[in-house]
Amino acid sequence: MPNNPNLYRRTLLSAIGGSIIASAVSSFAYSGESASLKLSRADYLDRLNAIWHGQMIAAMLTVRFEHKVAAAVPINGFSEPMQFAWLDDDWYYEMCALRGFEKYGIDMNIDELGQQWLDNNCGSWGSSAIALENLKRGIPGSMAGHPSNNRYWWTIGPVFSADIYGALAPAMPNVAAAMARKLGKINGHAEAVDGAVFLAGAISLAF
């Protein structure tokens, strides 16, 4: 994974700006039975920064425990100062989806997302790597994560691809969940997509 601060900064700024373009509004409102939320663009940007940085910091702090049977060890901080984040698949899938939203619009369907995966060669591990192989074989995005084509359909691929849907639907958990349900099948199915729905909804509610 390349440690390129300029690449990271450009990618992050593109992601932040692209989210605003995709949302195409300067403020957001959610009306429920007894609550209403309004966000200025500045407030939205602040929370969006928290979403991107939060997942990056969490992944970078815990990557040393990945693929280990047990990891009951306190984490008190980074072992060395970090000035930038590396490029990692845990957030690259979301940046790929963001490019798709910019190209196809906020109603992007799963086959269009599949084409974006092909355009960006997106899919490097587990169910996502198999999804990319499927796409290259001509299997559409709607079937790339299906159990009949993807033996890792039940794993966490859709979950760590779902933050973007909550970010694009602030305080609208049903909208975020619907996007995760529709697009999460690119690299998973059934329970795996349920996890994506949960995470997208939780991030949306955090606004």
Side-chain angles (χ1 to χ4, degrees), residues 152-183:
Y152 295 132
W153 61 268
W154 48 274
T155 56
I156 65 170
V159 180
F160 62 62
S161 307
D163 301 58
I164 185 70
Y165 309 129
L168 289 175
M172 295 181 285
N174 289 338
V175 175
M179 283 195 283
R181 178 72 66 193
K182 176 177 68 172
L183 300 174

Side-chain angles (χ1 to χ4, degrees), residues 38-49 207:
K38 292 185 178 181
L39 285 177
S40 67
R41 179 170 291 196
D43 286 339
Y44 175 63
L45 271 175
D46 180 64
R47 288 158 175 78
L48 189 64
N49 268 293
F207 278 88

Side-chain angles (χ1 to χ4, degrees), residues 76-91:
N76 299 316
F78 291 108
S79 58
E80 59 184 43
M82 301 296 294
Q83 300 300 321
F84 54 87
W86 54 61
L87 184 61
D88 190 271
D89 63 340
D90 281 8
W91 43 86

Side-chain angles (χ1 to χ4, degrees), residues 47-129:
R47 288 158 175 78
L48 189 64
N49 268 293
I51 292 168
W52 283 108
H53 284 85
Q55 65 174 310
M56 290 174 177
I57 291 169
M60 292 166 67
L61 278 173
T62 58
V63 68
R64 56 190 163 131
F65 303 113
E66 193 169 12
H67 305 304
K68 293 186 178 180
V69 176
V73 178
I75 301 175
N76 299 316
F78 291 108
S79 58
E80 59 184 43
M82 301 296 294
Q83 300 300 321
F84 54 87
W86 54 61
L87 184 61
D88 190 271
D89 63 340
D90 281 8
W91 43 86
Y92 183 69
Y93 298 119
E94 297 167 76
M95 293 178 178
C96 183
L98 185 56
R99 295 186 184 111
F101 282 122
E102 291 176 325
K103 181 186 297 182
Y104 299 109
I106 198 65
D107 293 322
M108 173 177 65
N109 63 48
I110 191 169
D111 291 332
E112 291 169 335
L113 177 59
Q115 183 58 52
Q116 192 64 48
W117 274 45
L118 281 173
D119 292 345
N120 295 123
N121 200 39
C122 186
S124 60
W125 189 259
S127 67
S128 302

Side-chain angles (χ1 to χ4, degrees), residues 187-207:
N187 57 347
H189 199 74
E191 295 92 337
V193 178
D194 290 342
V197 168
F198 175 82
L199 183 63
I203 289 176
S204 175
L205 285 172
F207 278 88

